Amino acid sequence: MVGLAADWLTSAANTNMFTYEIAPVFVLLEYVTLRKMREMVGWPGGCGDGIFSPGGAISNMYAMLIARFKMFPEVKEKGMAAIPRLVAFTSEHSHFSVKKGAAALGIGTDSVILIRCDERGKMIPSDLERRIVEAKQKGFVPFLVSATAGTTVYGAFDPLIAIADICKKYKIWMHVDGAWGGGLLMSRKHKWKLNGIERANSVTWNPHKMMGVPLQCSALLVREEGLMQSCNQMHASYLFQQDKHYDLSYDTGDKALQCGRHVDVFKLWLMWRAKGTTGFEAQIDKCLELAEYLYNKIKNREGYEMVFDGKPQHTNVCFWYIPPSLRGMEDSEERTSRLMKVAPVIKARMMEYGTTMVSYQPLGDKVNFFRMVISNPAATHQDIDFLIDEIERLGQDL
């Protein structure tokens, strides 16, 4: 409700975010909020820079853009033809936006090397190092590793400390895509899952995901101050005059790719003032508790099979529903083929009845499974119980 009120107010003000003179209060709110977020990442005194962008995909692309500029500043004027073949690394479970950013920036999707994950969906550091060495031997230049804190499907957290050690060893920019898992920095109970994030060069964090801020609200945080400005500024004298009577660092438009930029910060700032960090913490802990409740209810329940062993790290609970007709069958091609059709049919029935909606997908050699993701703290144990019963009701005849 607080975020919605803030959204109404920013729509009523209908201002832009590229210079201090046209949005002085919002510019200052962005400044202090980004600094607080950098503090929570663990950068001393909240040092660095950042910006609110139109979503995690754009924040990840910003990171790639800045990492490339840091290594080869001449690319800004001369383009990709003036620099060697670059390669980036990310896990095979990472978000598609890493490849999409490489395509948009002219680096190319073939230059994004996917690193193997363990059975829980975490990047394997030894494979990362092996692929970096391999790429260097081929004459390519590794310029970015994008680690994921909260993968889309499994909700896995890559081992950031080990990845940071490798990035330091080979002098590669370390980005952490915490679009989904960054909110756990608010929780004293769960923030250990992001240990090592303070060693990153840049971080994506989407308060519109786990923290429930109204769409859109995505922050890119950068450890080195001034780098975003150098990378993106165009010195347009009709907007960014150098002889203004105030501190020009508050004219944020020249460090963004956009010119017109929506006011995204006020929703987050006002909610943070209303709830406090402890309010966000309680909300996040509740969602993780609900996910654990679901996991505990189904892990040994007849008709349910977990996709990976052990308690999920985030609120992603991945499972198969095994209808009665498949429960006695041994593993075989026929069983796999029939199981693949179960989740899509149940999902279709969920939509037709209008009772609930849970996503499903295949992953690697695993056929379609349900992925229940809890990000609404208004959900209850009764809702979880209903979901389990509803899946059984809709799938018992399959």
Side-chain angles (χ1 to χ4, degrees):
M1 204 181 293
V2 173
L4 182 60
D7 225 358
W8 281 337
L9 198 147
T10 51
S11 293
N14 195 32
T15 192
N16 210 320
M17 281 291 285
F18 55 76
T19 63
Y20 174 77
E21 57 204 324
I22 63 166
V25 175
F26 294 138
V27 163
L28 293 177
L29 292 184
E30 185 173 69
Y31 178 84
V32 297
T33 304
L34 288 168
R35 186 177 62 196
K36 181 65 180 173
M37 293 173 83
R38 292 192 299 268
E39 268 179 34
M40 298 191 84
V41 164
W43 296 334
C47 66
D49 207 341
I51 204 153
F52 283 92
S53 84
I58 304 297
S59 292
N60 287 341
M61 188 173 79
Y62 264 122
M64 194 171 273
L65 179 72
I66 297 163
R68 181 178 68 177
F69 176 81
K70 173 71 175 174
M71 188 171 272
F72 294 104
E74 63 270 28
V75 74
K76 182 176 173 182
E77 286 83 22
K78 296 183 170 56
M80 288 295 289
I83 64 173
R85 168 81 183 271
L86 300 180
V87 286
F89 305 84
T90 192
S91 91
E92 58 189 355
H93 284 209
S94 67
H95 194 262
F96 69 85
S97 59
V98 179
K99 280 196 167 189
K100 189 169 272 196
L105 295 174
I107 293 163
T109 57
D110 286 352
S111 297
V112 178
I113 296 170
L114 299 181
I115 306 304
R116 286 192 300 113
C117 292
D118 64 19
E119 67 283 351
R120 294 293 302 265
K122 299 164 181 278
M123 187 193 289
I124 299 171
S126 59
D127 192 51
L128 171 64
E129 184 160 22
R130 181 181 70 81
R131 300 301 296 274
I132 289 171
V133 170
E134 221 172 66
K136 286 167 76 75
Q137 286 168 349
K138 290 177 181 173
F140 302 150
V141 177
F143 81 107
L144 174 130
V145 173
S146 181
T148 312
T151 58
T152 308
V153 180
Y154 282 6
F157 289 78
D158 286 343
L160 301 182
I161 294 172
I163 292 168
D165 289 342
I166 293 167
C167 288
K168 183 180 178 185
K169 180 177 177 181
Y170 294 98
K171 297 182 172 59
I172 302 171
W173 183 281
M174 178 182 171
H175 174 63
V176 175
D177 177 4
W180 175 219
L184 268 57
L185 290 168
M186 293 276 180
S187 167
R188 285 166 292 186
K189 184 178 178 183
H190 295 286
K191 67 180 179 183
W192 64 269
K193 296 167 188 176
L194 294 106
N195 283 351
I197 194 170
E198 71 284 352
R199 295 176 62 189
N201 298 95
S202 57
V203 174
T204 293
W205 177 353
N206 285 10
H208 70 223
K209 291 187 184 288
M210 201 64 198
M211 292 161 66
V213 175
L215 279 162
Q216 60 198 19
C217 189
S218 172
L220 174 78
L221 310 171
V222 182
R223 188 167 61 186
E224 185 179 328
E225 194 173 354
L227 198 55
M228 287 192 81
Q229 187 81 10
S230 304
C231 178
N232 296 319
Q233 67 186 355
M234 290 294 151
H235 302 292
S237 59
Y238 49 87
L239 287 178
F240 308 112
Q241 301 90 344
Q242 297 305 295
D243 51 3
K244 290 180 180 177
H245 67 291
Y246 57 80
D247 183 346
L248 297 176
S249 68
Y250 292 127
D251 281 359
T252 55
D254 220 11
K255 68 182 180 187
L257 285 177
Q258 302 159 264
C259 181
R261 195 158 63 89
H262 187 257
V263 177
D264 291 324
V265 67
F266 190 54
K267 298 170 288 192
L268 171 58
W269 182 86
L270 199 64
M271 285 176 71
W272 210 334
R273 294 292 294 179
K275 288 172 177 282
T277 302
T278 51
F280 275 126
E281 176 182 47
Q283 175 181 317
I284 287 161
D285 287 353
K286 167 91 183 294
C287 291
L288 280 132
E289 185 274 321
L290 285 168
E292 191 172 344
Y293 176 79
L294 171 61
Y295 166 72
N296 288 331
K297 288 276 288 191
I298 64 174
K299 65 179 179 181
N300 297 316
R301 187 182 178 106
E302 187 183 16
Y304 286 88
E305 198 176 301
M306 305 311 297
V307 171
F308 54 83
D309 292 333
K311 189 173 77 172
Q313 274 208 294
H314 206 357
T315 69
N316 309 44
V317 184
C318 300
F319 59 90
W320 287 283
Y321 173 68
I322 315 292
S325 66
L326 296 182
R327 285 177 202 169
M329 284 183 75
E330 289 186 10
D331 271 344
S332 64
E333 262 187 53
E334 189 200 346
R335 184 183 186 274
T336 302
S337 165
R338 286 174 61 182
L339 182 58
M340 183 168 68
K341 296 169 185 167
V342 171
V345 172
I346 293 176
K347 171 71 176 279
R349 290 176 179 180
M350 285 176 176
M351 303 292 278
E352 285 159 10
Y353 279 99
T355 49
T356 186
M357 187 163 67
V358 181
S359 60
Y360 71 86
Q361 68 281 302
L363 187 71
D365 60 351
K366 294 177 169 61
V367 297
N368 287 322
F369 55 87
F370 284 112
R371 171 173 57 103
M372 177 64 187
V373 180
I374 300 165
S375 58
N376 181 0
T380 63
H381 287 182
Q382 289 74 23
D383 294 323
I384 303 293
D385 295 341
F386 170 79
L387 170 74
I388 295 166
D389 293 340
E390 185 69 354
I391 288 174
E392 290 175 353
R393 181 180 80 83
L394 296 173
Q396 62 184 346
D397 63 332
L398 297 176

